[in-house]
Amino acid sequence: SNSFCTLLEATAAMDRRGSLDRRQSTHGHHGHDDHAPTLDRNANIDRVLKSTNPYMTSTPVYFDFKKDARTYKFVPTVDHTATHFSHDGNAIRSDSDEAQRLNAERGRRLAELDKAEEAERNPDLVEQGVSTKILKNQFNYSDRASQTMNNALRNRVVITDPPPSITLANTASQWEIYDAYEEERIANERAQAAGKKRGGKDEEKRPVREQRQAESEDIATSPAYAHALKIMERMVNQNDSHDIIDDFKYWEDQSDEHKEDGNLLPLWKFHSDKVKKKEVTCIAWNTTYTDLFAVGYGSYDFVKATTQASGYVQCFTLKNAFPTASQGQSMAAFPEFFFQLESGVMCLDFHPTQSSYLACGLYDGTVCVFDLRQKNSEKKLKPIFASSVKTGKHTDPVWEIRWSANAENLAFFSISSDGRVTQWSLTKNELQFSDVMKLSMDDAVEGNDDPEAALIGLSGGTCFDFSRETENIFIVGTEEGHIRRCSKAYNAQYLDTYDGHHMAVYAVRWNHFHPKVFLSCSADW
């Protein structure tokens, strides 16, 4: 190549020139020291810095050893740049498209942040749809991490005392082993003979199909199958009336704020065909299961004896309630528990802690206790405790019954028109009673000069309630309209008498927050 030849000639010329200069310099140093030029040490010598790399050839040529080529090739450009330090930066030109896009994005975020801060101060903007969510940035967000030291592992070994063991040893002969097998064989034969007598020949020849059918009937009547059906029924019922359940929990009428009297929203209606001719006399909610309540059925028609011939107690739950029908008659509800009594039910009360105990007061003066844990069968469920004439039952209707607040003792109190406030204790075999107070009419005798006033007897009690502060103090409402404040420690006299009514007092209740305030309800409305 011409270029390659030129490069070789230039190199040779430079070598000859360099050797000539060296010779002249050596010759002048030895023989012509007087005529050598004098150099100034302080003189400025100019040097021109160029961007070309002196170690790089300006016109490199390389030989291509490929089979098809096999020729010299010329490289037109050579990189003379020597890089000593390199660092990648993030600066961009302000007039570039990327810079303009980032500035627009930053402006949009700042505008959204200003709107969010303004919406937090102005609720009207929130109603218009402005979001109050503040974007995270370097001022209100920090991502931090920490690493804790791992606790050192420790091996602990505990040695316990070995359980006590006893070594037993015995010697058995062949006759003893034979007698043991004979006793087992005789016992098996007797058991088989007893089974044949009960089942007979038909039991042995009964086909397999009938045996499987009997097993399926046992499954259909098993308690586990009944429990599964009850759960499924409740699930279907709650899914069907989910809107009414939501109203039961969250419904509020906005118009009540502008009315003196509020509104009531009917949700469920419970009725049964067995108690069509009875009246609802009392309702009691369970203290543990808030969806369960008991309803007592009797009659307030005291003239007809036939209306008081029987009474009923039914327990319903809101989990298996049918919605109130807007048109027509609603479906009959199936009670969870059903009890039938020989007299009309007048009052009910659940135990505050033992929620399975239900105390009932009847029209004929009987008090009884039911246990809801009894197995429900076709037979009539009977009370586990019931008072009788021998055990001091009341002679008039029991108007109110109340369990004792002391959870340790299973005892309850009752009041009747016969003038007695009685405490009943549940013992192992029967109810034991003790009269807490006899409602005498001493004030009527003292204020009346009539000698026949002393023959009046006891005052009829209708209601009572124990104080929240002291259980020994209680108030009693009577048929004459008097309210007596009594104490279990002084059962011979009253602590105080309140004359605020002139007719029978139906209910009295102590205030839950103020121990000296109580509320009364009478027939003199």
Side-chain angles (χ1 to χ4, degrees):
S1 173
N2 296 329
S3 299
F4 182 73
C5 295
T6 304
L7 177 62
L8 294 178
E9 291 175 359
T11 303
M14 291 177 65
D15 293 340
R16 288 194 300 271
R17 190 183 302 168
S19 60
L20 180 61
D21 293 339
R22 284 194 298 271
R23 286 195 303 269
Q24 292 178 358
S25 174
T26 304
H27 179 73
H29 178 73
H30 290 284
H32 301 280
D33 293 338
D34 297 336
H35 300 283
T38 303
L39 298 176
D40 189 4
R41 295 181 178 181
N42 296 326
N44 294 328
I45 300 174
D46 297 333
R47 293 288 185 270
V48 179
L49 299 180
K50 298 181 179 180
S51 60
T52 57
N53 191 351
Y55 300 102
M56 296 293 294
T57 57
S58 60
T59 55
V61 176
Y62 70 95
F63 183 78
D64 191 356
F65 290 93
K66 291 183 179 181
K67 184 177 181 180
D68 298 337
R70 290 190 179 275
T71 181
Y72 292 95
K73 289 187 177 181
F74 170 72
V75 180
T77 59
V78 180
D79 188 9
H80 293 272
T81 304
T83 304
H84 300 282
F85 176 76
S86 176
H87 178 71
D88 295 334
N90 55 2
I92 58 176
R93 295 179 61 86
S94 59
D95 56 350
S96 62
D97 296 339
E98 185 177 1
Q100 294 178 1
R101 181 179 60 80
L102 292 177
N103 290 332
E105 182 68 18
R106 182 172 178 273
R108 184 184 62 81
R109 291 186 179 181
L110 292 176
E112 290 182 356
L113 182 61
D114 295 339
K115 289 183 180 179
E117 292 178 353
E118 184 67 23
E120 289 183 352
R121 295 190 295 267
N122 190 358
D124 296 336
L125 296 177
V126 179
E127 297 179 356
Q128 296 177 3
V130 178
S131 176
T132 59
K133 183 178 180 182
I134 300 178
L135 300 178
K136 294 180 180 180
N137 51 35
Q138 66 269 28
F139 301 105
N140 60 9
Y141 176 76
S142 62
D143 188 4
R144 298 180 180 179
S146 61
Q147 184 177 2
T148 59
M149 299 296 295
N150 296 327
N151 295 327
L153 299 178
R154 296 180 181 180
N155 295 328
R156 294 184 179 182
V157 180
V158 179
I159 301 177
T160 59
D161 296 333
S165 59
I166 300 174
T167 303
L168 297 176
N170 194 4
T171 303
S173 62
Q174 295 181 357
W175 293 108
E176 290 176 349
I177 297 174
Y178 177 78
D179 293 341
Y181 277 109
E182 281 294 318
E183 290 178 0
E184 185 179 0
R185 182 181 62 81
I186 294 172
N188 292 335
E189 290 178 355
R190 290 178 181 177
Q192 292 178 2
K196 291 180 180 180
K197 289 182 179 180
R198 288 194 301 266
K201 297 181 179 179
D202 296 337
E203 185 71 19
E204 297 177 356
K205 297 180 179 179
R206 189 174 62 171
V208 180
R209 183 176 181 181
E210 295 182 1
Q211 294 180 3
R212 292 180 179 177
Q213 184 176 1
E215 292 177 358
S216 63
E217 291 178 357
D218 295 339
I219 295 175
T221 57
S222 62
Y225 186 71
H227 182 68
L229 286 179
K230 181 183 291 186
I231 295 177
M232 184 63 64
E233 182 184 10
R234 291 184 178 182
M235 293 173 61
V236 173
N237 194 9
Q238 291 182 22
N239 291 333
D240 182 55
S241 57
H242 62 90
D243 52 345
I244 296 181
I245 296 176
D246 293 341
D247 291 338
F248 170 69
K249 291 184 178 181
Y250 310 110
W251 182 78
E252 291 183 2
D253 193 356
Q254 301 297 333
S255 62
D256 291 344
E257 300 178 357
H258 309 287
K259 296 181 181 179
E260 296 181 358
D261 299 333
N263 297 329
L264 296 178
L265 177 65
L267 299 177
W268 295 289
K269 181 179 179 181
F270 299 89
H271 67 90
S272 178
D273 297 336
K274 295 182 179 180
V275 293
K276 279 186 175 181
K277 297 181 180 180
K278 296 294 181 180
E279 300 175 359
V280 177
T281 55
C282 53
I283 297 177
W285 286 93
N286 194 287
T287 55
T288 302
Y289 303 98
T290 55
D291 60 291
L292 183 67
F293 62 95
V295 182
Y297 295 93
S299 177
Y300 290 112
D301 189 2
F302 303 139
V303 178
K304 296 181 181 180
T306 56
T307 57
Q308 302 295 340
S310 62
Y312 301 94
V313 177
Q314 293 183 348
C315 297
F316 298 97
T317 176
L318 299 180
K319 294 181 180 179
N320 195 24
F322 292 98
T324 302
S326 58
Q327 296 179 358
Q329 187 178 4
S330 59
M331 299 177 62
F334 185 78
E336 299 291 323
F337 302 96
F338 180 80
F339 307 103
Q340 184 175 1
L341 300 166
E342 297 178 355
S343 181
V345 180
M346 304 304 295
C347 52
L348 296 170
D349 190 32
F350 278 103
H351 194 277
T353 57
Q354 303 290 336
S355 58
S356 61
Y357 288 144
L358 176 64
C360 304
L362 307 183
Y363 173 78
D364 61 353
T366 304
V367 293
C368 56
V369 179
F370 289 95
D371 189 359
L372 302 184
R373 294 174 296 182
Q374 297 183 67
K375 294 183 179 180
N376 193 359
S377 60
E378 297 180 357
K379 297 181 180 180
K380 180 181 178 181
L381 295 177
K382 296 181 180 180
I384 57 175
F385 293 100
S387 63
S388 60
V389 178
K390 294 181 180 181
T391 57
K393 99 172 193 180
H394 292 284
T395 57
D396 280 348
V398 181
W399 290 105
E400 189 167 1
I401 198 168
R402 188 71 63 86
W403 284 95
S404 175
N406 189 0
E408 297 179 357
N409 300 327
L410 291 177
F412 60 91
F413 301 88
S414 63
I415 189 171
S416 174
S417 301
D418 59 1
R420 294 165 53 200
V421 179
T422 309
Q423 179 181 359
W424 304 87
S425 300
L426 277 65
T427 60
K428 185 175 181 181
N429 298 323
E430 61 180 3
L431 284 175
Q432 293 183 357
F433 79 100
S434 61
D435 291 335
V436 178
M437 175 68 69
K438 290 187 177 181
L439 306 176
S440 61
M441 301 185 67
D442 295 340
D443 52 351
V445 176
E446 293 175 359
N448 196 347
D449 297 334
D450 189 0
E452 297 182 356
L455 303 177
I456 294 177
L458 300 178
S459 175
T462 55
C463 55
F464 69 98
D465 190 23
F466 284 91
S467 175
R468 301 284 178 176
E469 186 178 15
T470 305
E471 189 182 1
N472 292 332
I473 304 299
F474 62 96
I475 53 177
V476 177
T478 62
E479 294 179 347
E480 292 78 15
H482 303 295
I483 299 177
R484 315 284 190 177
R485 187 164 67 92
C486 310
S487 174
K488 292 192 292 184
Y490 305 97
N491 56 0
Q493 58 184 356
Y494 305 123
L495 298 181
D496 202 351
T497 302
Y498 306 95
D499 297 329
H501 300 284
H502 57 273
M503 295 184 70
V505 180
Y506 289 149
V508 287
R509 288 292 181 272
W510 283 98
N511 193 306
H512 291 191
F513 306 99
H514 201 292
K516 296 183 179 179
V517 177
F518 63 89
L519 185 69
S520 63
C521 178
S522 174
D524 56 359
W525 59 278

